[in-house]
Amino acid sequence: MSADRITQDVERGEPITIVIDGQQVACFAGETIATAMLAAGLDAFRTDQRGKPRGLLCNMGSCYECLVTDIATGRRIRACLAPAADGMEVSTRG
Amino acid sequence: MERADVAIIGGGLVGCATAWRLARKGASVVLIEAGDINAGASGQNAGSLHFQIERRFLENGDALAEQGAQIVALSRHAVIDWRTIERELETDLHVAMHGGLMVAETAEQVALLEAKAARESREGLTVRTLDGDEARAMAPYLSSGILAANFSADEGHADPRAITPALAEAARGEGAQVRTGTHVRAITRENGRFVIRGNGLALSADQLLVAAGAWSADVCALINIHMPIYPVALLMNATERAPPIIPHLVQHVGRRLSLKQTHAGNLLIGGGWPSRLAQTLHGGFDLSAKAQMIPESLTGNLLAARDVVPGVTRLNLIRSWTGVTAITSDQLPIVGPVPRMPGLWVAAGGSAFTLGLTFARLMADAMTGDEADELSLLSPARFEHLNGFMG
Amino acid sequence: MADRIECDVAIIGGGPAGQAAALALSGHGLSIVVIDEQPRPGGQILRQPPARFAVRGWLEERSYRPLKQLLGRFQALDDIHWLGSHSVIGLQRGSVMAMGPEGVTTVTARHILIAAGCHDLAVPLPGWTLPGVYAAGGIQAFIKGQQLLVGNRILVAGTHPLQLIIAAQIVAAGGSVAAVLFAQPRSAMVAALARHPLAALRRVPDLLATAAALRALARAGTPIHFGTSLEALIGTDRVSAAQTSAGTINCDAVGLCYGFVPQSALPRMAGAQMRPSGPAGGWACGHDDFMRTSVPGVSAAGETTGVAGAAAAAAGGALAGIGIALDLGLISLEAAEHAARTPRRDLAQHRAFAALLDAVADPRAYFPAPSADTIICRCEDVEQATIAAELPVCQSANAVKLATRCGMGACQGRNCEPSLLRMMAKAGNVPETGFTPRFPARPVSIADLLPPQ
């Protein structure tokens, strides 16, 4: 499955590319990392202790299921809040 | 009225371990806890097993350092107690004794380390003194600013969440009664026995052990005894989980720092930074209210951690909390019988995670008539002058 | 920790409550800082698309109109310091620590307003940790704020009527809703409505919005089932179906909609008196008739004081602003009482309607049953059976936390606390408090807490 961008009546920012676990992901300026990932069919934001993939739950910064690592800064950021920036590299592997 | 050989007030590590040891020797034991088992300092501390002389003993001059050094004799027992407890309880308590480093960043601190090592060797504790490079070879996570370290092979950490509940369970298994949610309201002496009353409780016991941590002075007051035990609120911090990087216990000889990585991967950062205790309307301390974090303590603690283990800055802090422990008027724990009141025992005043199993084993021996000379250093007898008008 | 801002009033939350408070306080020459996790104001109810987007006809439904007007007036204020993309991590009397993309800012303020909103109740059931399972509010926020549909066949299930609105928004955005499931029978909802006829009448527009949603869903052929509960969510690496009391429903995303709980971390951290919130659980911040909490210098408004909707939040925010103006000596008590009359009346009316909605949406008899290996605490992977084993020996939520790690993770117990308290209540133990609130309210990088090296 993949999430779908709503296109009717919507103009997005310019096309940009981010890198998720080494994979190039095309998205638009203004989108969050979570939106970019979901629209690309990447819905696992981390792996739990059982080795199972976890999706994000709340999309409002509270559940902490979408913590990913910003490679450049080493920061752990919430994908549902953090805006995608062109060339940004993100890891879902801790 | 119920009867028991021994009543224990306080469901922390020392209370539960003593209940277990006594019950195993065949004594009838009732343990009384106002809240939940392990809710106080036993569960709230950061789980260090530290055997080197603590920084707090070193920073107040030679006399206190000399006194502090004597407790090292008990550490030798504690090493054995911790190395055997998982087998005895047949439970995984996440005991990790892979050694501990006490580090120095300045020339003065290096001198302090050397003096400390000499003192420890006189007391029979072996530590190795490493220079900065040797320390980093052993512990690559250490900062280039570390000039030297003492290494004690037995130090480490255990899981404070696991040990005390396991001891309570073992005590129950040996026939001890464990009463949680039971507030002691009154203690009286009747015909040479202790009569303890509280909600749903009327108990007569031959002997009484007060092991109630920071609440111990208040419990002793119920039976008209002074005990110079003072509450202290200490800050601790946990990071998110990280891959295994730090197998050791890390302490600092000149700054307040203890740092370790738990079995789950979280780094625990503490070392004696204060929080502010809440106060009652009458000006005393209110141990039932939450202590307030002091921002300077948080910064100070995290700075010390950064200077020793620079990698911590990449991690998220997920929780800071305050545990309420206790210190005594001379810094040494108070453990043993109270001369003024035969049958009354006290065990409180700090160091009770590392040494708690040992306190419990030695007290259980002494309470059932065996020798336990090792405890004499910590005897409440040294404060007998406070009880000249009490009892 | 380099940045410091000194101000007169710090408002936490840029939703309707924070906006209304800022408007009430504006024009008095005060320095006002408004802090919000989102880059733009609006709150969850008006989760704005990023400034880089242009969306024609955004949230044009009639019910959003007054809120959009309020937002417009707030955005037109020129004496507000907007601190967007900042999460509050610490709060004490007179001081707020906020974490942003560049580090931590300490905001000192003479008065603090907590208007932090609410969040979806997290509801554990078998399979709920699979990717593709969302809080329904999260799905809605993707539509409002990012113009994204999270699936091609979305199942919405729970007990809260808001799920009708969300389902209608999915359909309006061109998406497909597999079904809307109400766990409670229709008769239970009608009976609850009938018990509050006056409140229902006063809020006809809100009920009409629901009616409009029902019509839209009917046109789209979306099945709506009452008395149909979720039993388990099924899938390997992502959700592919739901097992319900009426059979299996195929879907590629699920929105859980069992109600909302106040964001309570900040008032609890400040030491404010709290009370149990509505039937969904959680803790609401207590307040007086000017929205002051029990902590001097700290007020609260909006869903933090009890989940009652955006209109109640706006009324409470206005009232809080008046109270703060009074406390700062800007207006007389007489003037404050006079100005407070309208927002107090509005607040009371909106809360009466919220009580009705609570009764209609009451999830308590309809929660799905977790199985023994269902994860209750998502951060620490604590299973139902692990917690259940501790219930006989633990009297407090803190004791369960210590024994099991439930609530020890990054979300600070937001997800699991209501579930744990329900489990404890079911075992005959209704604790007076939940977990002890700890600093930081949100995880924060250690580097951000320290001066630069």
Side-chain angles (χ1 to χ4, degrees):
Chain A
M1 79 142 238
S2 80
D4 285 332
R5 291 185 175 89
I6 301 164
T7 51
Q8 194 174 351
D9 295 331
V10 181
E11 286 172 38
R12 294 182 158 77
E14 74 272 11
I16 57 174
T17 303
I18 62 173
V19 180
I20 310 288
D21 298 330
Q23 180 186 336
Q24 305 258 330
V25 169
C27 58
F28 297 94
E31 292 188 332
T32 62
I33 292 168
T35 295
M37 286 177 62
L38 290 174
L42 304 172
D43 55 9
F45 290 76
R46 68 182 184 98
T47 304
D48 71 14
Q49 293 173 52
R50 299 167 169 181
K52 301 286 187 189
R54 285 285 180 89
L56 70 72
L57 183 71
C58 81
N59 187 29
M60 56 177 287
S62 280
C63 76
Y64 276 82
E65 286 283 18
C66 68
L67 268 190
V68 295
T69 305
D70 175 2
I71 300 287
T73 63
R75 279 172 193 270
R76 309 271 294 141
I77 53 177
R78 285 168 282 177
C80 73
L81 289 175
D86 197 29
M88 184 177 197
E89 277 189 66
V90 168
S91 168
T92 67
R93 295 169 187 146
Chain B
M1 185 174 303
E2 247 182 296
R3 292 175 73 88
D5 295 331
V6 182
I8 298 174
I9 299 176
L13 193 160
V14 173
C16 291
T18 311
W20 168 57
R21 291 282 185 196
L22 284 169
R24 222 163 57 156
K25 286 166 172 277
S28 63
V29 180
V30 178
L31 183 146
I32 306 152
E33 162 58 46
D36 281 300
I37 291 298
N38 204 32
S42 298
Q44 298 292 318
N45 81 94
S48 294
L49 301 177
H50 53 81
F51 304 118
Q52 302 184 56
I53 300 173
E54 294 175 67
R55 179 201 53 77
R56 65 182 174 125
F57 288 121
L58 298 171
E59 66 187 3
N60 292 311
D62 269 355
L64 268 178
E66 195 56 47
Q67 195 181 32
Q70 296 175 47
I71 207 169
V72 165
L74 283 163
S75 297
R76 292 204 308 272
H77 289 270
V79 170
I80 295 162
D81 287 330
W82 278 105
R83 286 212 184 273
T84 52
I85 190 67
E86 287 180 308
R87 206 164 56 238
E88 277 197 276
L89 295 178
E90 294 176 349
T91 310
D92 183 2
L93 304 168
H94 307 120
V95 177
M97 296 168 79
H98 306 306
L101 289 151
M102 191 176 283
V103 302
E105 289 178 279
T106 67
E108 272 176 352
Q109 290 167 357
V110 174
L112 210 52
L113 269 188
E114 284 164 354
K116 177 182 97 34
R119 228 184 265 286
E120 284 162 342
S121 99
R122 285 200 295 278
E123 297 291 336
L125 175 77
T126 311
V127 301
R128 272 165 61 199
T129 299
L130 312 170
D131 66 24
D133 288 338
E134 288 167 338
R136 277 179 292 279
M138 175 186 280
Y141 51 83
L142 287 177
S143 153
S144 57
I146 299 303
L147 297 183
N150 277 170
F151 178 74
S152 157
D154 289 311
E155 287 191 322
H157 50 90
D159 186 354
R161 302 184 313 104
I163 175 73
T164 301
L167 289 164
E169 196 50 45
R172 283 192 200 97
E174 296 287 348
Q177 288 191 46
V178 177
R179 306 269 182 86
T180 57
T182 305
H183 293 263
V184 173
R185 307 281 183 213
I187 308 173
T188 51
R189 288 283 266 171
E190 291 173 22
N191 305 321
R193 295 174 66 83
F194 294 89
V195 175
I196 302 143
R197 294 176 198 277
N199 52 319
L201 178 79
L203 173 69
S204 168
D206 287 325
Q207 300 190 79
L208 169 64
L209 167 63
V210 178
W215 289 261
S216 296
D218 290 347
V219 175
C220 286
L222 283 176
I223 193 161
N224 200 36
I225 287 287
H226 282 314
M227 207 48 64
I229 295 164
Y230 305 94
V232 182
L234 296 181
L235 175 73
M236 275 149 294
N237 306 284
T239 72
E240 63 188 322
R241 294 165 189 248
I245 37 174
I246 302 178
H248 310 114
L249 171 68
V250 180
Q251 300 183 89
H252 202 299
V253 73
R255 294 170 77 179
R256 296 177 188 217
L257 178 69
S258 77
L259 194 153
K260 68 187 72 70
Q261 186 168 22
T262 68
H263 68 284
N266 312 81
L267 266 60
L268 300 186
I269 303 169
W273 290 86
S275 295
R276 190 165 286 118
L277 287 167
Q279 296 192 336
T280 66
L281 292 174
H282 317 293
F285 294 113
D286 181 358
L287 300 186
S288 66
K290 203 178 102 179
Q292 196 179 30
M293 190 178 78
I294 301 170
E296 292 75 16
S297 282
L298 177 69
T299 316
N301 199 350
L302 297 179
L303 268 177
R306 178 181 81 179
D307 291 346
V308 174
V309 182
V312 299
T313 56
R314 284 195 300 275
L315 296 172
N316 272 336
L317 174 73
I318 61 168
R319 188 165 55 256
S320 299
W321 75 98
T322 294
V324 176
T325 179
I327 55 164
T328 68
S329 50
D330 66 359
Q331 296 200 85
L332 286 178
I334 300 175
V335 184
V338 179
R340 185 76 184 174
M341 190 167 286
L344 176 65
W345 297 69
V346 177
S351 302
F353 192 78
T354 295
L355 299 179
L357 292 174
T358 304
F359 293 166
R361 181 170 55 78
L362 294 174
M363 270 193 302
D365 286 349
M367 291 170 100
T368 52
D370 290 335
E371 295 277 311
D373 289 345
E374 297 90 336
L375 286 177
S376 57
L377 169 72
L378 306 179
S379 167
R382 68 191 193 272
F383 298 115
E384 194 62 1
H385 55 283
L386 295 175
N387 285 315
F389 310 99
M390 310 305 288
Chain C
M1 207 142 97
D3 275 2
R4 279 192 97 82
I5 300 175
E6 282 181 29
C7 67
D8 295 310
V9 183
I11 296 175
I12 301 165
Q19 294 161 28
L23 282 160
L25 285 164
S26 169
H28 286 292
L30 296 173
S31 56
I32 302 170
V33 175
V34 182
I35 308 165
D36 199 285
E37 287 195 305
Q38 294 293 330
R40 305 180 72 189
Q44 296 304 324
I45 189 76
L46 295 184
R47 181 88 166 255
Q48 296 203 66
R52 308 296 303 271
F53 280 32
V55 181
R56 279 182 298 280
W58 181 68
L59 295 187
E60 281 203 323
E61 295 94 323
R62 218 174 78 182
S63 55
Y64 291 111
R65 264 181 227 163
L67 298 168
K68 287 168 84 171
Q69 284 165 9
L70 177 67
L71 177 60
R73 286 165 56 213
F74 173 78
Q75 287 182 313
L77 292 175
D78 54 11
D79 56 351
I80 299 290
H81 181 159
W82 171 254
L83 199 58
S85 304
H86 275 72
S87 301
V88 173
I89 57 171
L91 195 157
Q92 295 186 353
R93 237 178 115 168
S95 142
V96 176
M97 282 170 82
M99 161 187 73
E102 264 85 54
V104 171
T105 299
T106 298
V107 180
T108 56
R110 293 160 69 198
H111 208 108
I112 296 167
L113 172 64
I114 305 172
C118 65
H119 58 94
D120 294 76
L121 175 68
V123 179
L125 74 155
W128 77 306
T129 54
L130 285 167
V133 180
Y134 299 90
I139 292 178
Q140 189 187 30
F142 271 122
I143 296 171
K144 288 177 178 176
Q146 291 279 303
Q147 300 292 309
L148 183 82
L149 285 165
V150 294
N152 299 320
R153 194 175 153 75
I154 304 173
L155 175 69
V156 188
T159 59
H160 201 288
L162 183 72
Q163 61 183 353
L164 290 171
I165 309 274
I166 296 173
Q169 286 172 336
I170 294 169
V171 169
S176 166
V177 174
V180 181
L181 308 184
F182 281 92
Q184 68 271 49
R186 196 202 304 253
S187 57
M189 301 176 78
V190 172
L193 272 172
R195 280 195 297 275
H196 298 75
L198 275 178
L201 271 179
R202 281 206 194 93
R203 289 288 292 272
V204 165
D206 296 273
L207 296 175
L208 286 180
T210 310
L214 280 167
R215 282 196 302 277
L217 293 172
R219 274 197 304 275
T222 304
I224 303 173
H225 300 298
F226 293 89
T228 303
S229 48
L230 277 186
E231 290 170 353
L233 301 170
I234 301 161
T236 44
D237 283 344
R238 58 185 48 85
V239 70
S240 58
Q243 186 182 312
T244 79
S245 56
T248 301
I249 298 175
N250 291 326
C251 57
D252 63 1
V254 177
L256 302 173
C257 197
Y258 290 83
F260 302 87
V261 292
Q263 291 275 13
S264 61
L266 298 179
R268 288 161 79 180
M269 184 184 287
Q273 273 175 14
M274 308 296 291
R275 58 183 166 73
S277 191
W283 305 94
C285 183
H287 58 82
D288 68 6
D289 57 1
F290 277 112
M291 308 306 285
R292 302 178 188 105
T293 73
S294 62
V295 180
V298 179
S299 300
E303 313 282 41
T304 297
T305 62
V307 178
L319 187 52
I322 295 163
I324 293 169
L326 170 66
D327 289 350
L328 294 179
L330 302 170
I331 55 175
S332 68
L333 178 60
E334 195 187 2
E337 289 290 348
H338 181 77
R341 271 163 44 192
T342 303
R344 277 183 189 151
R345 189 197 61 216
D346 290 351
L347 182 60
Q349 279 185 10
H350 296 313
R351 281 187 172 167
F353 181 72
L356 160 72
L357 201 55
D358 275 351
V360 171
D362 189 343
R364 285 173 293 190
Y366 305 104
F367 282 119
S371 54
D373 65 349
T374 299
I375 285 173
I376 303 294
C377 169
R378 296 175 67 117
C379 300
E380 294 290 326
D381 294 24
V382 184
E383 298 179 355
Q384 194 269 354
T386 307
I387 294 171
E390 294 298 331
L391 294 183
V393 292
C394 291
Q395 301 172 66
S396 65
N398 282 343
V400 179
K401 176 179 175 177
L402 197 63
T404 65
R405 299 186 73 92
C406 176
M408 272 195 183
C411 90
Q412 301 285 34
R414 282 176 182 84
N415 290 329
C416 63
E417 189 190 51
S419 313
L420 170 61
L421 294 181
R422 280 204 307 278
M423 286 179 71
M424 294 179 75
K426 212 169 169 183
N429 177 3
V430 182
E432 285 171 15
T433 59
F435 300 130
T436 302
R438 303 294 190 196
F439 176 89
R442 306 283 200 208
V444 56
S445 137
I446 287 178
D448 286 350
L449 290 167
L450 295 175
Q453 249 167 326

